[in-house]
Amino acid sequence: MWHSVLWIALGCAVGWMATFFAGASAGDATNSAISSGDTAWMLSSAALVMIMTPAVGFFYGGMVSSKNVVSVIKQSMIILALVSVQWVLVGYTLAFGPDAGGHGIIGTFAHFGLRGVGYAPDPAYAATIPALVFMIFQAMFAIITPALIIGAFVERIKFKTLVVFTLLWATLVYDPVAHWVWSPNGWLHALGALDFAGGTVVHMTAGFSALAAAMLVGKRMQKTTPAEVANNVPFVILGAALLWFGWFGFNAGSALASGALAASAFVVTNTAAAAAALVWVGLSWAENGKPSAMAAAIGAVCGLVAITPASGFVGPIASIAIGILGGAVTYLAVHIRGKKIKIDDSLDVWAGHGIGGLTGAVLTGVFAEKAINSGGNNGLLFGNPHQLVVQIAAVVAVGIYSFVATWVILKAIGLWWPLRVTSAEEEEGLDMSVHGEMAYRS
């Protein structure tokens, strides 16, 4: 009996919400300010960014042991589902809604459930596409960011912990930082920080949160490197290739229009990725005596991370420099993390995304040109050393906040249940012990 009452109550609640929001988010589908070309490009870009989240699953899944492949890919897919709903309900309004209190910290609940977000453009963000298109494009950024973190605690995270952590982290870390940097009222935006497509908002938040998560979740029972246990190198390469492909939507789509700026961002994104891949292959070859396929894949991703904040502000030559420097710094960071810090950030999320995003954000303050993007600013090499100071302030603020907030979230979760699986489950592998599914059958 009570089951029927529950379902009736749930149905009534959903029906009330649908009635409440009906019309409030529609607007005029024939708004004359909308560009069909820009809208088509942005919808395509959103789809490109969406494919990056399962691509992360393949990229990470190929690096772990064969008994944990399903768990890693499953984690990326469940994050896609969780954050898609969270973003519609509260994420978008906290990140891009009107500022709460005028301090540039967080948005209000004015757009709760996408109320008021519809077909009409929001000129504060993109004047030629429906606000609904801008929303779904940004949703894909919010989705992939926590998916990046899973590389820090693969093979040992409790699934319940991951679900709760993802929802809390998206709400308490990603949404505020997105507001700081990308909202016109955000305090880092007002300071003049430049982040075209997420070097701080996406990669630094993920990377420095991963460092905190790896410390609190603890080391694996058998600590290994991806090179030692990678179960499927073709998966790693496939994941990297899909990430590279999707990154064109990530960076060029951040122009929010299908014009010259998108073309410029597309070119520098590809160039930086190529430069960093070559750097990683060269350094790996020199170190190990063989040109590693995994090094090429990982290096390309690190180059993509480094160019992300700068992609709408720099030219092709600068992108080569960013790719080379980003590749070298991330390669060094992997060695420092493994040999000096000795924290089991299993797939080096901090080194690749945290340090890669930091490097790219700082170099934006060096190479940015207002001639490329009038909405940006000149960097150090173009007569404006102040921009470098601003970029450094931004990376310090984002890095510290991400680390501390993640530490607090996981400590709070740990008060209720364990952060990691039992030793028996870890020994068996999460594929069978948690999900009851196998990646490969003999």
Side-chain angles (χ1 to χ4, degrees), residues 41-66:
W41 166 239
M42 292 310 302
L43 288 171
S44 299
S45 293
L48 285 169
V49 181
M50 176 269 163
I51 204 65
M52 293 172 70
T53 297
V56 168
F58 279 98
F59 184 66
Y60 286 168
M63 296 184 195
V64 298
S65 65
S66 59

Side-chain angles (χ1 to χ4, degrees), residues 21 23-27 92 110-122 131-132:
F21 292 113
S25 62
Y92 180 76
H111 298 314
F112 175 79
L114 300 187
R115 182 173 175 82
V117 181
Y119 305 136
D122 184 344
L132 206 59

Side-chain angles (χ1 to χ4, degrees), residues 15-16 55 58 72 90-91 169 183 185 196 201 224 226 231 256 258 261 264 266 278 291 334 354 396 412:
W16 176 84
F58 279 98
V72 175
V90 298
W169 189 89
S183 168
N185 300 309
F196 190 71
V201 177
T224 54
N231 78 93
L256 302 176
S258 58
L261 185 57
S264 176
F266 195 114
L278 294 174
V334 168
V396 169

Side-chain angles (χ1 to χ4, degrees), residues 125-138:
Y125 297 108
T128 62
I129 61 174
L132 206 59
V133 174
F134 176 77
M135 180 283 301
I136 197 62
F137 176 68
Q138 289 296 337

Side-chain angles (χ1 to χ4, degrees), residues 74-171:
K74 169 68 177 290
Q75 288 166 12
S76 69
M77 294 303 292
I78 200 68
I79 288 171
L80 172 58
L82 286 170
V83 183
S84 290
V85 176
Q86 183 270 353
W87 188 252
V88 166
L89 291 176
V90 298
Y92 180 76
T93 192
L94 293 177
F96 293 100
D99 191 67
H103 304 297
I105 304 298
I106 194 70
T108 69
F109 287 101
H111 298 314
F112 175 79
L114 300 187
R115 182 173 175 82
V117 181
Y119 305 136
D122 184 344
Y125 297 108
T128 62
I129 61 174
L132 206 59
V133 174
F134 176 77
M135 180 283 301
I136 197 62
F137 176 68
Q138 289 296 337
M140 301 308 165
F141 284 64
I143 290 164
I144 193 174
T145 309
L148 298 174
I149 301 173
I150 64 178
F153 42 56
V154 291
E155 304 183 320
R156 61 201 188 278
I157 190 72
K158 196 173 185 67
F159 189 71
K160 183 190 295 185
T161 298
L162 176 74
V163 170
V164 176
F165 171 73
T166 297
L167 292 173
L168 290 175
W169 189 89
T171 305

Side-chain angles (χ1 to χ4, degrees), residues 328-413:
V329 170
T330 51
Y331 192 90
L332 178 62
V334 168
H335 282 257
I336 292 174
R337 197 278 309 162
K339 296 180 180 179
K340 301 293 183 181
I341 303 177
K342 297 188 181 301
I343 295 170
D344 191 12
D345 176 0
S346 313
L347 305 183
D348 284 304
V349 184
W350 171 76
H353 293 277
I355 298 302
L358 183 154
T359 301
V362 171
L363 291 177
T364 302
V366 175
F367 293 110
E369 293 183 65
K370 200 161 186 176
I372 290 173
N373 184 349
S374 60
N377 213 335
N378 287 322
L380 175 66
L381 293 184
F382 297 90
N384 182 21
H386 177 69
Q387 189 60 48
L388 179 58
V389 175
V390 171
Q391 297 300 112
I392 293 172
V395 300
V396 169
V398 171
I400 291 175
Y401 178 75
S402 301
F403 182 91
V404 172
T406 301
W407 188 281
V408 172
I409 290 169
L410 285 171
K411 278 289 189 181
I413 294 173

